[in-house]
Amino acid sequence: QVQLVESGGGLVEPGGSLRLSCAASGSFSSINTMGWYRQAPGKERELVATETATRGTLYGDSVKGRFTISRDNASKMLHLQMNSLKPEDSAVYYCRLLLVTISRDYWGQGTQVTVSS
């Protein structure tokens, strides 16, 4: 059974920074894609950033230049460094694992990020 657990969310002032982490556990294929998504109240879940082997790193337009995704395959960890945070970044952030060979998705429970003065 694959499980994803996010951590690092919290309350931060505009212009501040946070670093989110996602720990993956269980047995799964190394052929996979991991990424971060977020969802704010009344809005659809949107892509924040993904880390892939074939296409490299992809970012949503609203976070380009401010967020950085990184991955450690050995420890099965995914991170998201968020800088220059804005109030519109407030959302629940979810870690996602895609097992490419069987097209199966796993999601974490999410971690709340609130950007407010």
Side-chain angles (χ1 to χ4, degrees), residues 4-51:
L4 305 174
V5 180
E6 303 96 335
S7 62
L11 176 64
V12 64
E13 295 183 350
S17 298
L18 282 175
R19 186 171 189 258
L20 305 183
S21 297
C22 172
S25 63
S27 179
F28 53 88
S29 173
S30 61
I31 305 175
N32 62 74
T33 296
M34 296 190 73
W36 291 95
Y37 291 73
R38 68 186 184 187
Q39 186 168 26
K43 299 181 65 177
E44 297 182 353
R45 186 170 297 185
E46 65 175 344
L47 168 70
V48 176
T50 62
E51 180 69 27

Side-chain angles (χ1 to χ4, degrees), residues 67-85:
F67 291 9
T68 303
I69 189 172
S70 60
R71 179 175 179 173
D72 187 331
N73 290 325
S75 62
K76 297 182 179 180
M77 293 286 291
L78 185 73
H79 304 282
L80 182 69
Q81 179 65 45
M82 305 185 294
N83 298 324
S84 301
L85 284 162

